[in-house]
Amino acid sequence: AQTVTQSQPEMSVQEAETVTLSCTYDTSESDYYLFWYKQPPSRQMILVIRQEAYKQQNATENRFSVNFQKAAKSFSLKISDSQLGDAAMYFCAYRSLYGGATNKLIFGTGTLLAVQP
Amino acid sequence: DSGVTQTPKHLITATGQRVTLRCSPRSGDLSVYWYQQSLDQGLQFLIHYYNGEERAKGNILERFSAQQFPDLHSELNLSSLELGDSALYFCASSVDTRPNQPQHFGDGTRLSIL
Protein backbone atom coordinates (compact mmCIF):
# COMPACT_ATOMS: atom_id res chain seq x y z
CA ALA A 1 0.00 0.00 0.00
CA GLN A 2 1.09 3.52 -0.72
CA THR A 3 1.97 5.91 2.07
CA VAL A 4 2.67 9.63 2.22
CA THR A 5 4.87 11.20 4.88
CA GLN A 6 5.17 14.85 5.82
CA SER A 7 7.87 15.08 8.45
CA GLN A 8 7.43 18.76 9.29
CA PRO A 9 4.35 19.26 11.49
CA GLU A 10 4.90 23.03 11.56
CA MET A 11 6.89 25.57 9.59
CA SER A 12 7.26 29.33 9.76
CA VAL A 13 8.33 31.86 7.15
CA GLN A 14 8.69 35.62 6.99
CA GLU A 15 6.50 37.50 4.59
CA ALA A 16 8.15 37.82 1.16
CA GLU A 17 10.58 35.00 1.91
CA THR A 18 10.71 31.52 0.41
CA VAL A 19 9.79 28.31 2.21
CA THR A 20 9.95 24.65 1.21
CA LEU A 21 7.61 22.00 2.58
CA SER A 22 8.76 18.39 2.42
CA CYS A 23 6.86 15.30 1.35
CA THR A 24 8.03 11.77 0.77
CA TYR A 25 5.99 8.82 -0.38
CA ASP A 26 6.30 5.10 -0.74
CA THR A 27 5.00 3.19 -3.73
CA SER A 28 5.95 0.33 -6.01
CA GLU A 29 4.09 1.88 -8.93
CA SER A 30 5.88 3.60 -11.77
CA ASP A 31 3.15 6.04 -12.74
CA TYR A 32 0.99 8.08 -10.42
CA TYR A 33 -0.09 11.62 -9.59
CA LEU A 34 1.02 13.82 -6.73
CA PHE A 35 -0.81 16.83 -5.38
CA TRP A 36 -0.44 19.60 -2.84
CA TYR A 37 -3.64 20.84 -1.20
CA LYS A 38 -3.97 23.88 1.03
CA GLN A 39 -6.40 24.03 3.96
CA PRO A 40 -6.71 27.56 5.43
CA PRO A 41 -8.50 28.22 8.73
CA SER A 42 -11.74 28.40 6.75
CA ARG A 43 -11.11 24.60 6.37
CA GLN A 44 -11.65 24.46 2.60
CA MET A 45 -9.38 22.05 0.74
CA ILE A 46 -7.85 23.95 -2.15
CA LEU A 47 -5.78 22.32 -4.87
CA VAL A 48 -2.45 24.14 -5.13
CA ILE A 49 -0.48 22.13 -7.66
CA ARG A 50 -0.24 18.68 -9.23
CA GLN A 51 2.50 16.61 -10.81
CA GLU A 52 2.35 13.62 -13.13
CA ALA A 53 5.07 11.12 -12.24
CA TYR A 54 5.88 10.42 -15.88
CA LYS A 55 6.73 14.06 -16.50
CA GLN A 56 10.32 15.06 -15.80
CA GLN A 57 9.53 18.75 -15.65
CA ASN A 58 8.58 20.14 -12.26
CA ALA A 59 5.13 21.71 -12.08
CA THR A 60 4.79 25.43 -11.42
CA GLU A 61 1.76 27.56 -10.57
CA ASN A 62 2.64 31.21 -10.08
CA ARG A 63 4.51 31.45 -6.74
CA PHE A 64 4.17 27.72 -6.10
CA SER A 65 6.53 25.15 -7.55
CA VAL A 66 7.52 21.60 -6.78
CA ASN A 67 10.77 19.70 -6.68
CA PHE A 68 9.87 16.21 -7.81
CA GLN A 69 12.60 13.63 -7.30
CA LYS A 70 11.13 10.35 -8.54
CA ALA A 71 14.03 8.11 -7.60
CA ALA A 72 14.09 9.51 -4.10
CA LYS A 73 10.28 9.48 -3.91
CA SER A 74 10.31 13.08 -2.81
CA PHE A 75 7.83 15.80 -3.70
CA SER A 76 8.52 19.12 -1.99
CA LEU A 77 6.55 22.34 -2.37
CA LYS A 78 8.31 25.67 -2.67
CA ILE A 79 6.40 28.86 -1.95
CA SER A 80 8.14 32.00 -3.15
CA ASP A 81 7.42 35.55 -2.00
CA SER A 82 5.28 34.23 0.86
CA GLN A 83 2.13 36.16 1.63
CA LEU A 84 -0.01 36.31 4.76
CA GLY A 85 -2.75 34.49 2.85
CA ASP A 86 -0.45 31.50 2.41
CA ALA A 87 -0.82 30.65 6.10
CA ALA A 88 -2.59 27.29 6.14
CA MET A 89 -2.22 23.56 6.61
CA TYR A 90 -0.64 22.00 3.53
CA PHE A 91 -1.31 18.40 2.58
CA CYS A 92 0.64 16.28 0.17
CA ALA A 93 -1.43 13.61 -1.60
CA TYR A 94 -0.84 10.60 -3.85
CA ARG A 95 -3.15 9.11 -6.43
CA SER A 96 -2.57 5.81 -8.17
CA LEU A 97 -3.26 5.14 -11.82
CA TYR A 98 -4.15 1.51 -11.29
CA GLY A 99 -7.35 -0.31 -10.49
CA GLY A 100 -9.69 0.72 -7.72
CA ALA A 101 -6.91 2.61 -6.02
CA THR A 102 -7.19 5.32 -8.65
CA ASN A 103 -10.34 6.47 -6.98
CA LYS A 104 -8.80 7.84 -3.86
CA LEU A 105 -6.30 10.39 -2.69
CA ILE A 106 -3.87 9.25 -0.01
CA PHE A 107 -2.93 12.16 2.20
CA GLY A 108 0.00 12.93 4.42
CA THR A 109 -0.51 14.29 7.93
CA GLY A 110 -0.03 17.88 6.86
CA THR A 111 2.34 20.77 7.59
CA LEU A 112 1.02 23.86 9.33
CA LEU A 113 2.60 26.93 7.76
CA ALA A 114 2.68 30.22 9.63
CA VAL A 115 3.59 33.44 7.81
CA GLN A 116 5.13 36.16 9.96
CA PRO A 117 4.59 39.80 8.93
CA ASP B 1 -15.55 28.71 -4.35
CA SER B 2 -14.98 25.15 -5.58
CA GLY B 3 -18.53 24.70 -6.83
CA VAL B 4 -19.07 21.71 -4.52
CA THR B 5 -21.83 22.34 -1.99
CA GLN B 6 -22.09 20.52 1.29
CA THR B 7 -24.90 20.82 3.80
CA PRO B 8 -25.17 21.28 6.66
CA LYS B 9 -21.96 23.09 7.62
CA HIS B 10 -22.25 22.03 11.23
CA LEU B 11 -24.10 19.19 12.89
CA ILE B 12 -24.29 18.46 16.59
CA THR B 13 -25.97 15.31 17.77
CA ALA B 14 -25.77 12.61 20.41
CA THR B 15 -24.38 9.11 20.51
CA GLY B 16 -26.62 6.48 18.98
CA GLN B 17 -28.26 8.90 16.59
CA ARG B 18 -28.33 8.88 12.78
CA VAL B 19 -27.44 11.77 10.48
CA THR B 20 -27.35 12.45 6.77
CA LEU B 21 -24.76 14.63 5.10
CA ARG B 22 -25.50 16.01 1.66
CA CYS B 23 -23.23 16.91 -1.23
CA SER B 24 -23.92 18.55 -4.57
CA PRO B 25 -21.01 18.17 -6.99
CA ARG B 26 -19.77 20.80 -9.39
CA SER B 27 -21.89 21.17 -12.48
CA GLY B 28 -20.87 18.50 -14.98
CA ASP B 29 -18.94 16.34 -12.51
CA LEU B 30 -20.02 12.71 -12.41
CA SER B 31 -17.73 11.46 -9.64
CA VAL B 32 -18.30 12.10 -5.95
CA TYR B 33 -15.85 11.15 -3.20
CA TRP B 34 -16.29 11.23 0.56
CA TYR B 35 -13.41 11.79 2.99
CA GLN B 36 -13.23 11.96 6.76
CA GLN B 37 -10.80 14.28 8.53
CA SER B 38 -10.22 13.54 12.20
CA LEU B 39 -7.47 14.43 14.64
CA ASP B 40 -6.34 10.85 15.18
CA GLN B 41 -6.84 9.40 11.68
CA GLY B 42 -6.06 12.42 9.50
CA LEU B 43 -7.69 12.62 6.08
CA GLN B 44 -9.08 9.27 4.98
CA PHE B 45 -10.97 8.19 1.89
CA LEU B 46 -14.36 6.68 2.61
CA ILE B 47 -16.15 5.95 -0.65
CA HIS B 48 -16.42 6.89 -4.33
CA TYR B 49 -19.48 7.04 -6.57
CA TYR B 50 -19.51 7.55 -10.29
CA ASN B 51 -22.72 8.36 -12.13
CA GLY B 52 -24.83 6.67 -9.49
CA GLU B 53 -22.71 3.56 -9.01
CA GLU B 54 -20.37 2.74 -6.17
CA ARG B 55 -16.82 2.47 -7.51
CA ALA B 56 -14.58 2.04 -4.50
CA LYS B 57 -14.69 1.75 -0.76
CA GLY B 58 -12.02 2.84 1.64
CA ASN B 59 -11.99 2.85 5.42
CA ILE B 60 -15.73 3.19 5.74
CA LEU B 61 -17.45 1.65 8.73
CA GLU B 62 -20.42 -0.67 8.28
CA ARG B 63 -22.51 1.87 10.21
CA PHE B 64 -21.88 4.32 7.37
CA SER B 65 -23.47 4.18 3.95
CA ALA B 66 -23.72 6.43 0.95
CA GLN B 67 -25.53 6.79 -2.32
CA GLN B 68 -25.54 8.99 -5.39
CA PHE B 69 -28.86 9.97 -6.86
CA PRO B 70 -29.88 10.43 -10.52
CA ASP B 71 -29.34 14.18 -10.22
CA LEU B 72 -25.77 13.30 -9.11
CA HIS B 73 -26.02 14.68 -5.60
CA SER B 74 -24.78 12.32 -2.92
CA GLU B 75 -25.66 11.58 0.67
CA LEU B 76 -23.53 10.04 3.38
CA ASN B 77 -25.55 8.35 6.11
CA LEU B 78 -23.97 7.79 9.50
CA SER B 79 -25.85 5.68 12.03
CA SER B 80 -25.40 4.48 15.61
CA LEU B 81 -23.07 7.39 16.08
CA GLU B 82 -20.15 7.14 18.48
CA LEU B 83 -17.96 9.82 20.02
CA GLY B 84 -15.16 8.79 17.69
CA ASP B 85 -17.25 9.70 14.66
CA SER B 86 -16.76 13.38 15.45
CA ALA B 87 -14.87 14.72 12.46
CA LEU B 88 -14.94 16.95 9.44
CA TYR B 89 -16.53 15.16 6.49
CA PHE B 90 -15.56 16.32 3.04
CA CYS B 91 -17.16 15.68 -0.26
CA ALA B 92 -15.14 16.10 -3.44
CA SER B 93 -16.09 15.83 -7.07
CA SER B 94 -14.32 15.34 -10.37
CA VAL B 95 -15.35 15.18 -13.99
CA ASP B 96 -15.05 11.41 -14.25
CA THR B 97 -12.85 8.61 -12.92
CA ARG B 98 -9.61 9.45 -14.71
CA PRO B 99 -6.82 9.92 -12.17
CA ASN B 100 -5.53 13.03 -13.91
CA GLN B 101 -8.78 14.83 -13.14
CA PRO B 102 -8.35 16.87 -9.93
CA GLN B 103 -10.77 16.39 -7.10
CA HIS B 104 -12.46 19.61 -6.00
CA PHE B 105 -13.50 19.71 -2.38
CA GLY B 106 -16.49 21.23 -0.68
CA ASP B 107 -16.21 23.18 2.57
CA GLY B 108 -17.00 20.12 4.65
CA THR B 109 -19.56 19.27 7.32
CA ARG B 110 -18.33 19.49 10.90
CA LEU B 111 -19.97 16.66 12.88
CA SER B 112 -19.82 16.84 16.65
CA ILE B 113 -21.07 13.95 18.75
CA LEU B 114 -21.93 14.80 22.35
Side-chain angles (χ1 to χ4, degrees):
Chain A
Q2 297 83 20
T3 58
V4 177
T5 301
Q6 293 179 252
S7 59
Q8 305 156 315
E10 297 183 17
M11 293 280 286
S12 183
V13 63
Q14 292 291 127
E15 206 175 356
E17 297 295 308
T18 296
V19 64
T20 298
L21 308 185
S22 300
C23 172
T24 58
Y25 56 94
D26 188 29
T27 184
S28 58
E29 298 172 341
S30 57
D31 288 324
Y32 42 86
Y33 286 89
L34 296 166
F35 303 84
W36 279 97
Y37 278 86
K38 169 186 177 181
Q39 187 177 35
S42 63
R43 79 188 188 195
Q44 296 171 287
M45 289 289 287
I46 303 166
L47 178 63
V48 175
I49 200 166
R50 65 175 168 171
Q51 174 80 41
E52 293 93 332
Y54 59 87
K55 287 189 176 178
Q56 301 269 355
Q57 188 173 3
N58 289 323
T60 299
E61 290 286 343
N62 300 313
R63 298 182 295 106
F64 298 86
S65 61
V66 299
N67 183 6
F68 173 50
Q69 301 289 329
K70 191 172 183 180
K73 296 179 183 175
S74 171
F75 182 60
S76 59
L77 175 70
K78 185 171 84 170
I79 306 174
S80 304
D81 185 25
S82 297
Q83 300 175 0
L84 295 177
D86 295 333
M89 182 74 89
Y90 286 82
F91 291 95
C92 178
Y94 175 103
R95 191 174 186 185
S96 173
L97 267 64
Y98 304 106
T102 66
N103 298 294
K104 66 181 181 181
L105 290 168
I106 301 170
F107 287 93
T109 51
T111 296
L112 183 62
L113 178 66
V115 180
Q116 308 299 330
Chain B
D1 183 7
S2 69
V4 178
T5 304
Q6 288 189 249
T7 57
K9 291 191 184 305
H10 303 277
L11 201 49
I12 303 173
T13 189
T15 55
Q17 296 298 305
R18 173 189 170 93
V19 297
T20 297
L21 312 183
R22 182 187 170 99
C23 170
S24 293
R26 293 188 322 160
S27 178
D29 284 1
L30 299 178
S31 272
V32 170
Y33 310 80
W34 286 96
Y35 291 86
Q36 179 195 59
Q37 185 178 28
S38 62
L39 285 175
D40 55 344
Q41 299 288 332
L43 265 162
Q44 290 199 96
F45 167 75
L46 294 178
I47 199 163
H48 170 216
Y49 275 84
Y50 173 71
N51 203 20
E53 293 185 3
E54 181 185 305
R55 280 301 186 98
K57 270 186 173 180
N59 299 320
I60 187 166
L61 300 172
E62 285 190 11
R63 300 183 286 108
F64 296 1
S65 65
Q67 57 184 134
Q68 186 179 27
F69 295 86
D71 67 352
L72 301 177
H73 91 271
S74 178
E75 293 180 356
L76 179 67
N77 301 295
L78 316 177
S79 62
S80 302
L81 287 168
E82 302 175 359
L83 293 176
D85 298 328
S86 295
L88 186 55
Y89 291 85
F90 282 108
C91 166
S93 74
S94 65
V95 172
D96 47 41
T97 61
R98 288 174 292 166
N100 66 336
Q101 295 298 315
Q103 296 181 19
H104 300 274
F105 284 72
D107 290 349
T109 292
R110 169 76 67 189
L111 176 63
S112 298
I113 311 299
L114 301 180

